[in-house]
Amino acid sequence: MQTTITKPRSVFDELESEVRSYCRSFPTVFNRAKGYKLWDVHGREYIDFFAGAGALNYGHNNSRLQERLVDYIAADGVTHSLDMSTKAKENFLERFDEIILKPRGMRYKIMFPGPTGTNAVESALKLARKVTKRDTIICFTNAFHGMTMGSLSVTGNSSKRKGAGVALHNSVFMPYDQFLGQEVNTVEYLQHFLDDNSSGVDLPAAIILETVQGEGGINVASFKWLKGVEEVCRQNNIPLIVDDIQVGCGRTGTFFSFEPAGIKPDIVCLSKSISGYGLPMALTLIKPELDIWSPGEHNGTFRGNNLAFITAAEALSYWEDNQLSSQIKEKGETVSSFLHEMVEEHPEIAGEVRGRGLMQGIACGVPGLAELICSVAFEKGLIMETSGSNSEVCKVMPPLIIDNSGLKQGLNIFKDSIKDPQIKNHIKKNPRLKSKKKAPSFRALAKLK
Amino acid sequence: MQTTITKPRSVFDELESEVRSYCRSFPTVFNRAKGYKLWDVHGREYIDFFAGAGALNYGHNNSRLQERLVDYIAADGVTHSLDMSTKAKENFLERFDEIILKPRGMRYKIMFPGPTGTNAVESALKLARKVTKRDTIICFTNAFHGMTMGSLSVTGNSSKRKGAGVALHNSVFMPYDQFLGQEVNTVEYLQHFLDDNSSGVDLPAAIILETVQGEGGINVASFKWLKGVEEVCRQNNIPLIVDDIQVGCGRTGTFFSFEPAGIKPDIVCLSKSISGYGLPMALTLIKPELDIWSPGEHNGTFRGNNLAFITAAEALSYWEDNQLSSQIKEKGETVSSFLHEMVEEHPEIAGEVRGRGLMQGIACGVPGLAELICSVAFEKGLIMETSGSNSEVCKVMPPLIIDNSGLKQGLNIFKDSIKDPQIKNHIKKNPRLKSKKKAPSFRALAKLK
Amino acid sequence: MQTTITKPRSVFDELESEVRSYCRSFPTVFNRAKGYKLWDVHGREYIDFFAGAGALNYGHNNSRLQERLVDYIAADGVTHSLDMSTKAKENFLERFDEIILKPRGMRYKIMFPGPTGTNAVESALKLARKVTKRDTIICFTNAFHGMTMGSLSVTGNSSKRKGAGVALHNSVFMPYDQFLGQEVNTVEYLQHFLDDNSSGVDLPAAIILETVQGEGGINVASFKWLKGVEEVCRQNNIPLIVDDIQVGCGRTGTFFSFEPAGIKPDIVCLSKSISGYGLPMALTLIKPELDIWSPGEHNGTFRGNNLAFITAAEALSYWEDNQLSSQIKEKGETVSSFLHEMVEEHPEIAGEVRGRGLMQGIACGVPGLAELICSVAFEKGLIMETSGSNSEVCKVMPPLIIDNSGLKQGLNIFKDSIKDPQIKNHIKKNPRLKSKKKAPSFRALAKLK
Amino acid sequence: MQTTITKPRSVFDELESEVRSYCRSFPTVFNRAKGYKLWDVHGREYIDFFAGAGALNYGHNNSRLQERLVDYIAADGVTHSLDMSTKAKENFLERFDEIILKPRGMRYKIMFPGPTGTNAVESALKLARKVTKRDTIICFTNAFHGMTMGSLSVTGNSSKRKGAGVALHNSVFMPYDQFLGQEVNTVEYLQHFLDDNSSGVDLPAAIILETVQGEGGINVASFKWLKGVEEVCRQNNIPLIVDDIQVGCGRTGTFFSFEPAGIKPDIVCLSKSISGYGLPMALTLIKPELDIWSPGEHNGTFRGNNLAFITAAEALSYWEDNQLSSQIKEKGETVSSFLHEMVEEHPEIAGEVRGRGLMQGIACGVPGLAELICSVAFEKGLIMETSGSNSEVCKVMPPLIIDNSGLKQGLNIFKDSIKDPQIKNHIKKNPRLKSKKKAPSFRALAKLK
């Protein structure tokens, strides 16, 4: 394996907007990819613990899907169809119903809202408002739902919000599970606001949540909390929207992340890995009784990305039995054990293991450390990103189909990175961050009075 | 050619959301497509005067592009890369600069805002607000810019706007060219509002416009008007955004629709046919001095759709010489002559020919007529959609690469459709619409005082 | 009469906020006032052509009202009653109905929305939105409706708007009569926007207008225009709100300013001179069928200013016959003739006479001139303010009860002020402003194409 | 004392808007008032425990003020002056500085924002936004700040909010002290939201609060909590606005309600009793360094209500020594003891005593009970209103100058009302309300997990 990092050729610096971002963290030019590996133009190989930010759960250029895709293109299958009916879409719909919905006893109407996650979220918010004739959306601290104006209004990150350039309206942020420490039941808090008709928080058009906040720092909601929020929704006749864009499609071990919690969202947003091949595609799943759209009331040019329908239909094969689920569970445990060991062996990083399934990570209690670890890891051949309000979490998110050898290889690079002298230097120079997640409990605070 | 129309199989009715729309106008299941033709599952052939709402300027499964695409996929080229650097992106950037920007003396930084037009628009609005620290966007009557909350706020269509479910803010609609009849210079109107500091119209963060309003009814702005708006922008230090999503990429005869008008927008939005193959892709072109984004300030999962970069780079070959431009011009004239003849021969439809290049159409002065004509045409094997506030325009928008034979064939079906007995019946039963575009002139009104 | 101007004692500079304004234009400390005269602490006398910005139509300390007021206070009449019922309110209601509403064939429910004009406007906007379930208010260029957030959103002045510190929403500004020059019928313009369901201008909750824009520059709407706007309202089922706060209560010669136009607003806002004595009071008149308020849905502490009810009831005596109306008409003609003569004699000020009844003025075509004239006039013993986007209008607005001698005296000071050497100097140094109101007609512009 | 209640004459039903409210609770026509008593047109006498919702702290027609007022009017003192300088205003400014500000070591610039509380709040919000260039205002559950659009956006009551007819923006509601029960420190909660830059709560332009929420249900913030909020403001550079409109001017025993808490607000809103006589008047007090208004940036017709300046200046005499303060304290204790006894003697009302100084009340745990008690009390000659989200609090708020005899008389009527058979009947028929203020503690909830 080569050790020199090639900076991207100046064409990106010259021609691409300053907004470019990941290319700064991973400074090379990639060329080829397969499964859990990428290669750059110099032939250097990288283990992928990033998985297209969750869009590549089945790996790069998954062969089963690749074959179908090439055949379809070569046969002049319809590529682009807006929302006209095509054979490819029909097949996807049937398979999604047969393999995903029916076995889970779910009934949803399927909407193609445009090919990206933010389209799914925007359409979900619109529909909830149309159904309820209310304005406000209740969302949660550290939520990430997208970058277009509607989705951005329910996204917590302040620098992204500022990017809007205007004040964002019609959303109310409530504390996510454990936002106020482990002892505080934030559902109760939410309930108080809705119970009191002078709280200033109007009855919302919907509550939207992620079951695990990937961008927000791998914050995992307990099933109890999720049930609690669902109960609040039912009592107040509020539609519940689950944004399963990053943690759906198997990331946590089940197709939908919310299955083990036993909740039944009214609207579900899917994207990222739904095409299975990294192709732009998104779905909005809608309980039939809420499907009161007028034809074309929400539209878009790329709702009919048939290449994605082809790979998506094939990717569903992974869900015809329990094999993948079991593997995710096992590998999730492997990752979890490994990370816990790392954290114990390296108390200097003030680490906290977080996550569920193959969405895991370590929150580092030293400012700037997680970014540095990822940077060192990249030099050593591992692609891994940070998340969290302050980029304080190293996020382990390999393709679900990674084999044990690849997984170990990646984890070892992660561990080696922590041992790098750069890391020790950094820790010496930077004081430990007081962890947000270990806030003094309210009980303790009450004593201080 | 078969004459029976096959209704889509019930899978769409059962499983797809009520929001589905074009499948209602074109009630069959499509299977295969090539060039300017589609075939449904019954083998029935259709001429395509729709071109994916402008996303298929180079035709379905364009062989030059198809070959590159299949080769790239088969070679395990990177498919999905977020905004990491890839060889495919690098090649696209270089070719776009060499073939499009440099020969036109243009300098723009290129942003990949996400793979759809609305992403390009949202990013443009954000950036303009960031640059100017102002809130309002001035947009125009009958504008269509997208369905996410930011783009929707600058879109005129009231049923789409209502779909938002909340009031849309921070936009001011000004009259587009000829909105008030041919004699009224609406630039002057706009100027008045900006000149008077008590007009209630605050200095905007940007003016956004389409040079031809495709969805709005094929309303063509004169070059004089476009220059006038640009002049207003310059005088008031307002960034000018051109949304060239539908009418760019050659639709009107030049790569950018605004080239013959001689204006120099500060930001340009491209999508639809930029990938050349109907794959989701979009660009935001930004004058370098406005490119003040922070890294990652606007992001999205599918910014790096490398399959699209591959086809997009190849599609640019069409612009290496003037051949395509010339052909569009010629075919545009063919269409124009044909449509004018039709209108003259059929005064009963109260038709008005509109358009530029290969974005043309007939506005029908009888309510509901255009929709019926398109429906009849579909039965006869032509795919053609309507546009306009009241779906009053039959829109002729074939792939740019259509050959003369195909063009004639399609136009003849259009003409045959008008002669259909259903049309005559409809006209008898429906009174002529008082045309919006032929409003009593203000001069005439002044006399009435 | 003294000639030295005494600057206000430093207590104002030291203790009062920088927001203070009129005290800067009229730099003395006033002490006593009667009829159309004020005296400052130095005994200097001033003719009042300002009339409390329209709040003192019946003059300062009008003796008839003063007597009633003192008697009521001395008898321990209820002063403050929120919206409880009092004898004083009852008497006012009865007299308002008998003297104002019934003789005019009007039926309105009377709301006491709080004691200021902006309260009346805010309540009107709320009610219109409640009635129609729509968001937007259509208002007009150069409108002034108040400084609280709702009223401010329909006010045109950009510096006042900026004072909000946030973007103002839910209002659309349309061109007022003659905003685009004399030949353009701006009602037609408004109609176009409402007719086209893709204009981006949603059907509004109300249209609000002033029949004469006092603050906006004494812009007088023609009766034809007012009828036109009313017709638009009727056709589209839009409530019409007339803000008669400054020009109602007789200012233009009839009790309501809109009477001679023959329109029947759905909601009327009154304040300023309704108490007759300069005491804070406001009314919102509501067509009975729109009076769907829930009890207390809009409230406020000072809705029951009984001292104002006492003087207001007495002030209505002026409307028991036509005497005052006739006098206003006569005096209005006196003023008009005088101003026209002035403008003719002094072409150097590029003046234009504007107004109706006793709301008149001269718009000066030289930047900064009107302010200087008012400043000179103040030195000569006349209180007169400017209005308009650029403070370009000298506003002649004496108490309606001014006698002919006082009127002449004031007008002569005005004329003398124009002849002052400071004025000549100013004109020499400042180029003439291109008048907004004499914009090139659209016809002319069309020729330029 | 008479026992028949006279319904208001039909003139109110016929002519006054449905929005009228207190006249429904107190169904008679009042005529005369003095000190802590009112009389209706039938000569029936009422004890006033309402005090004009806090506007009559010095009683009705206070003789000291009355005399000054009549003299001023009779002497043709300037009544209405906009924001010109007058002798009456000068005197008020000097006395306010000498008697109120200087002895407390306070430095504030004084703004006359218009004559009502909501004007003071609107101006405070505007200025905070101008100073900070931020949008959002943080406010608290159960807050009441006014009915114009800006103030309403920071008011919690949902029925008042709905009255707006549009979504209210730019405000975030945080939990007031004890909103989540006694054990939860809600300052900590607020702090969490501001500390986490992905909480979705943007750094606000201001925090606005009432030290005791009068309309919200007599919720008393602890001094510790107030200090905590102030500390959050200081740490984050957020201006602190105290709305002292209802509880200022001595209501809780000190001139400003926040004095004993030891906090130093950046902006203070005063109105209601500032004129001392029930006349419309309001002040916005601004720390000099924040007084960056442009002249006239916020204005209004009735900023110069000189009659109010006259009575306000005289009312300040009450604050030249500690006598009134001491009396309020004593009477407050009298009320407190009496109410606590009542609550103990009548467990059936599930009462909770709340308040500070002469702003006290009993929250009743039986739905609808408080309203019924006030209604019965009115029949017995006592005027007392309810407050709280569900009108669950009987509010004891007499004029501060009430003598002991009047106070006892009123309290006895209150007690007698509770013993009325109507009350017993009501309690039998209505189940006890689960008190909002005694919510299960979070600790208890944690156990339930």
Side-chain angles (χ1 to χ4, degrees), chain D residues 20-33:
Chain D
R20 69 194 186 281
S21 174
Y22 282 121
C23 59
R24 300 173 196 261
S25 306
F26 309 118
T28 190
V29 179
F30 296 97
N31 199 17
R32 197 159 61 84

Side-chain angles (χ1 to χ4, degrees), chain D residues 255-274:
Chain D
F255 185 80
F256 295 110
S257 71
F258 53 81
E259 293 176 45
I263 62 172
K264 296 178 192 311
D266 299 287
I267 303 178
V268 180
C269 300
L270 287 178
S271 183
K272 293 209 185 250
S273 276
I274 187 65

Side-chain angles (χ1 to χ4, degrees), chain B residues 255-358:
Chain B
F255 185 81
F256 295 109
S257 72
F258 53 81
E259 293 175 45
I263 62 173
K264 297 178 190 312
D266 300 286
I267 303 178
V268 181
C269 300
L270 287 178
S271 183
K272 293 209 186 252
S273 277
I274 186 65
S275 85
Y277 202 77
L279 300 177
M281 178 174 168
L283 300 180
T284 312
L285 307 181
I286 304 163
K287 281 202 179 158
E289 59 271 29
L290 302 187
D291 184 28
I292 61 166
W293 286 111
S294 302
E297 197 170 3
H298 176 96
N299 63 17
T301 298
F302 295 110
R303 283 166 295 164
N305 183 8
N306 285 265
L307 304 195
F309 297 160
I310 290 296
T311 55
E314 182 58 33
L316 293 177
S317 306
Y318 281 102
W319 299 97
E320 288 177 318
D321 59 28
N322 289 324
Q323 211 179 323
L324 183 63
S325 269
S326 305
Q327 288 169 359
I328 298 165
K329 204 184 158 186
E330 274 169 41
K331 286 172 199 156
E333 281 162 14
T334 303
V335 173
S336 182
S337 305
F338 196 96
L339 298 186
H340 274 103
E341 264 176 47
M342 273 172 67
V343 164
E344 275 171 44
E345 285 173 22
H346 294 279
E348 71 277 15
I349 67 167
E352 180 191 318
V353 179
R354 298 181 186 167
R356 205 148 68 80
L358 278 172

Side-chain angles (χ1 to χ4, degrees), chain C residues 168-238:
Chain C
L168 296 168
H169 298 318
N170 295 316
S171 55
V172 172
F173 284 82
M174 287 285 160
Y176 194 70
D177 193 17
Q178 302 196 28
F179 180 70
L180 300 165
Q182 293 197 344
E183 292 188 27
V184 181
N185 179 349
T186 61
V187 170
E188 191 70 15
Y189 182 89
L190 167 62
Q191 185 69 51
H192 266 276
F193 269 90
L194 294 177
D195 278 353
D196 189 330
N197 63 27
S198 289
S199 70
V201 173
D202 305 318
L203 198 61
I207 295 181
I208 187 168
L209 61 81
E210 303 150 281
T211 64
V212 179
Q213 296 181 321
E215 296 305 303
I218 315 190
N219 306 314
V220 181
S222 71
F223 299 155
K224 192 176 289 283
W225 187 85
L226 292 170
K227 294 282 277 186
V229 174
E230 186 189 46
E231 180 61 20
V232 168
C233 286
R234 297 304 160 239
Q235 281 171 7
N236 294 280
N237 203 20
I238 301 167

Side-chain angles (χ1 to χ4, degrees), chain A residues 142 158 189 196-198 389, chain D residues 142 158 189 196-198 389 443:
Chain A
N142 290 285
S158 65
Y189 180 89
D196 189 330
N197 64 27
S198 289
S389 309
Chain D
N142 290 285
S158 65
Y189 182 90
D196 190 330
N197 65 26
S198 289
S389 309
R443 192 160 19 149

Side-chain angles (χ1 to χ4, degrees), chain C residues 69-83:
Chain C
L69 180 60
V70 168
D71 288 352
Y72 185 78
I73 296 171
D76 290 331
V78 174
T79 299
H80 176 282
S81 62
L82 290 141
D83 67 349

Side-chain angles (χ1 to χ4, degrees), chain B residues 117-139:
Chain B
T118 197
N119 274 303
V121 172
E122 293 260 350
S123 67
L125 303 187
K126 280 184 185 183
L127 184 59
R129 283 164 169 151
K130 181 177 169 121
V131 166
T132 60
K133 297 192 172 62
R134 303 176 200 148
D135 297 302
T136 310
I137 305 292
I138 284 184
C139 47

